Amino acid sequence: MKLLPLPTTSGMFERCPRFRILVIGKVGVGKSSLIDHVFGVGTNTTVAHDQRGKANIDTQFTSPHNDRLVLHDSKGFEPGEEDNLELVLDFIRRRKAMPDKDQLHAIWLCFQTPFAGGRFLETGAEEFLTCKRDGRLGDIPVIVVLTKYDMLVDDIELNLDDSTDGLSDEAIKELVKDKADVEIRDNCIIPLERFAGSDIPHATISTKADYKETLAGLIQLTEKRVSKHSTPEAGVMTSIAQRVDSGLKIQALIKVGKERYWKALRSGPSFKNCQMWDCLDVLHTDIVEVWNFRDPHKYLRSQEFRKLIIDMVDGTQVGPIADPDKTVTTGFSMVGTVASVLAGPAAPVVVPIAACVVFGAWVYDIYQTSDVVLQRFMAYIAHLALVSRTLFIVSESQEVTRRAIKLAVEVYLTSPMCGEVVIRIQDHIRQLKVLERRDGDTLNKIEEVVQFYKIDAAEISKHREKLHGHLVDESW
């Protein structure tokens, strides 16, 4: 009986099935909106809907829209409710004693960004931050989140004096930002540092449409702290659970690939007795899991989507396959092209993200005659990763539709970057001369290429309008 390779993500999810976060904040601070926007969970699943007295810190909030997140909610440290501090400290202590899969990974301590003269820290919050500074919370990352930053900006704009007359819109915007930074430093950061120390991580955010970069900054800061103080799986899971920063998804993809499969360019003995399509099907699962799309119909796992990517690879590759009938020692043969190899009745049409793994078992036998095949595999890695990135940006955490997938493929395929990616891969293949050198260089090239592609703001807006202009899905 043949033993199939398992996806890297299956073991990772067994050790760390979800990103687990505790969100602390007073009623009205905006916790629900924050969670909805960062993790794309929908409006009916999150924190106690900011209703006074409803939060129970041991309740595990989950969502069918994002099964890689589990949320715990705590009311803030209100005056007269000092006992909540002990409830929070007890919860942290209990979670710390649990198995790795049940560990708490991060805490967001939320405050509404205050205006000048407003009270910022209550006694309970001061004591909590002091506990963190003194090490009584252990290594659990605590990030202070200053919400509703847009309200501070609006207040400053309304109170500008006549000295701004004649300034350009950009100059006024920069002036307002500078004033807001001063107020945040004086009213928030200085009091924070008094109780938490100078290295307390903090982020100023708004969930309004014009401030999306603030949410990306918050999750980047969170991922950085979790990666530093928790298990490697927890850091990757932070990136997988979030839905605001495509760059973190790419970083997680690279970590998953290098953890096991991309290393197979140098060795890969675990794949020796497996058929090619078995390995590739497993790898496709990995990349879909990393992007963590809201995909209840599993369109991204479908044969139709896989064929779209294969057709893209076939349409952007040039050159003949050397020795196309070469029999491979691991039980499959290269016949013509990758597409023809995979098109047999027993094989799913798939060449997924880290497909270069299959070279590991037979690299020393045919590597010298399979540069075009390597080129195809690398192109598939890049194309699938970057189509996924386009879909991530355009769909905005909405449910994935076939229309959205086809639009993402079209946007990427017609972009100048698609051709540039192919050129970079072809140049890399031509430069490969020594086997020992090519293994490490190819890993680096894969990483370079999948981080290469970007879409500017105007393009994003145009394609989102095109997608959401027609709400009805369409067939493949």
Side-chain angles (χ1 to χ4, degrees):
M1 181 177 177
K2 177 175 60 177
L3 293 177
L4 298 180
L6 294 175
T8 297
T9 49
S10 65
M12 181 181 299
F13 293 164
E14 185 176 345
R15 295 186 295 273
C16 182
R18 292 186 174 107
F19 173 62
R20 186 180 296 271
I21 186 170
L22 168 64
V23 182
I24 304 172
K26 295 181 180 180
V27 173
V29 77
K31 293 182 290 182
S32 290
S33 179
L34 172 61
I35 295 298
D36 291 344
H37 280 79
V38 173
F39 298 104
V41 295
T43 57
N44 297 319
T45 314
T46 53
V47 295
H49 304 290
D50 280 343
Q51 297 177 33
R52 184 178 297 274
K54 295 293 185 181
N56 182 335
I57 197 170
D58 283 304
T59 300
Q60 300 184 101
F61 290 93
T62 59
S63 169
H65 300 320
N66 188 347
D67 61 2
R68 295 305 168 195
L69 172 74
V70 59
L71 169 71
H72 295 269
D73 177 30
S74 173
K75 59 187 178 181
F77 303 111
E78 305 267 5
E81 297 184 359
E82 286 76 9
D83 60 335
N84 192 48
L85 173 62
E86 187 52 44
L87 289 175
V88 171
L89 296 178
D90 177 65
F91 173 80
I92 294 171
R93 285 192 293 265
R94 286 187 286 112
R95 280 285 158 186
K96 188 175 181 181
M98 291 183 181
D100 284 349
K101 65 183 183 66
D102 298 315
Q103 289 285 309
L104 184 64
H105 300 129
I107 298 171
W108 284 352
L109 180 59
C110 300
F111 303 95
Q112 182 171 326
T113 306
F115 297 175
R119 169 87 180 186
F120 181 47
L121 294 177
E122 301 293 346
T123 301
E126 294 173 351
E127 293 180 7
F128 179 78
L129 291 169
T130 301
C131 288
K132 176 59 180 172
R133 182 194 64 199
D134 295 344
R136 281 178 278 170
L137 304 186
D139 290 334
I140 182 72
V142 176
I143 294 95
V144 172
V145 184
L146 305 175
T147 66
K148 302 185 181 182
Y149 172 68
D150 60 289
M151 295 178 63
L152 174 61
V153 171
D154 291 345
D155 183 69
I156 292 172
E157 287 179 341
L158 287 173
N159 289 283
L160 290 175
D161 56 34
D162 295 340
S163 64
T164 61
D165 292 347
L167 293 179
S168 67
D169 290 344
E170 283 300 316
I172 292 176
K173 183 177 179 180
E174 190 64 27
L175 176 63
V176 169
K177 181 181 181 302
D178 290 343
K179 287 180 175 290
D181 288 345
V182 170
E183 289 211 20
I184 289 171
R185 183 197 66 204
D186 292 345
N187 298 323
C188 304
I189 307 307
I190 291 176
L192 275 176
E193 291 180 344
R194 185 179 305 128
F195 294 98
S198 60
D199 65 341
I200 182 70
H202 57 273
T204 305
I205 65 98
S206 170
T207 57
K208 300 297 184 183
D210 292 340
Y211 295 87
K212 287 186 176 180
E213 74 281 356
T214 64
L215 300 179
L218 169 60
I219 199 65
Q220 290 166 13
L221 177 60
T222 303
E223 188 276 339
K224 182 178 180 180
R225 291 287 173 151
V226 171
S227 295
K228 181 178 180 181
H229 296 293
S230 191
T231 63
E233 292 86 358
V236 173
M237 189 56 68
T238 308
S239 299
I240 290 176
Q242 62 85 27
R243 286 176 171 163
V244 291
D245 187 1
S246 64
L248 280 181
K249 296 287 189 183
I250 291 291
Q251 289 179 28
L253 182 157
I254 291 168
K255 288 178 182 178
V256 169
K258 286 190 170 182
E259 172 70 21
R260 179 177 176 190
Y261 294 124
W262 294 0
K263 291 179 181 179
L265 284 169
R266 290 192 289 269
S267 57
S270 62
F271 290 93
K272 185 171 183 179
N273 296 316
C274 297
Q275 291 183 317
M276 182 178 187
W277 42 85
D278 292 327
C279 303
L280 300 182
D281 195 43
V282 164
L283 296 169
H284 193 86
T285 299
D286 266 340
I287 187 53
V288 170
E289 292 285 7
V290 167
W291 281 99
N292 188 31
F293 285 103
R294 185 176 162 188
D295 185 19
H297 303 292
K298 301 190 182 305
Y299 291 138
L300 295 173
R301 299 174 187 266
S302 69
Q303 298 299 316
E304 291 86 355
F305 175 60
R306 299 168 194 254
K307 188 176 186 302
L308 283 176
I309 304 301
I310 284 183
D311 288 346
M312 186 184 301
V313 173
D314 286 343
T316 56
Q317 300 301 303
V318 295
I321 298 289
D323 198 6
D325 296 318
K326 180 82 173 180
T327 298
V328 185
T329 59
T330 53
F332 58 87
S333 59
M334 296 186 302
V335 181
T337 66
V338 171
S340 65
V341 169
L342 298 178
V349 183
V350 51
V351 185
I353 186 71
C356 54
V357 63
V358 298
F359 287 104
W362 43 271
V363 63
Y364 294 105
D365 292 323
I366 62 166
Y367 212 123
Q368 303 298 337
T369 62
S370 61
D371 281 350
V372 176
V373 177
L374 175 60
Q375 177 179 313
R376 283 174 171 271
F377 281 138
M378 292 182 68
Y380 198 101
I381 292 168
H383 290 331
L384 182 54
L386 298 177
V387 164
S388 298
R389 186 171 201 169
T390 307
L391 179 62
F392 181 88
I393 293 170
V394 172
S395 64
E396 295 186 289
S397 297
Q398 300 301 307
E399 182 177 308
V400 169
T401 63
R402 288 163 293 193
R403 175 178 174 78
I405 293 171
K406 290 163 67 177
L407 176 62
V409 171
E410 175 190 348
V411 169
Y412 172 66
L413 190 57
T414 58
S415 71
M417 295 300 176
C418 180
E420 180 66 24
V421 163
V422 174
I423 291 171
R424 286 176 176 236
I425 291 172
Q426 291 172 340
D427 288 345
H428 172 70
I429 297 296
R430 282 193 287 268
Q431 293 169 7
L432 295 178
K433 300 297 183 183
V434 182
L435 180 62
E436 287 75 16
R437 173 191 164 198
R438 73 171 53 185
D439 295 330
D441 285 353
T442 297
L443 294 179
N444 295 333
K445 180 58 65 173
I446 293 169
E447 181 175 350
E448 172 194 315
V449 169
V450 298
Q451 295 188 90
F452 174 67
Y453 178 48
K454 300 218 174 15
I455 312 177
D456 64 33
E459 285 290 302
I460 292 171
S461 178
K462 179 180 73 174
H463 296 308
R464 283 174 177 167
E465 182 178 350
K466 183 177 179 181
L467 174 62
H468 299 304
H470 303 277
L471 299 179
V472 179
D473 197 7
E474 59 189 45
S475 66
W476 288 107

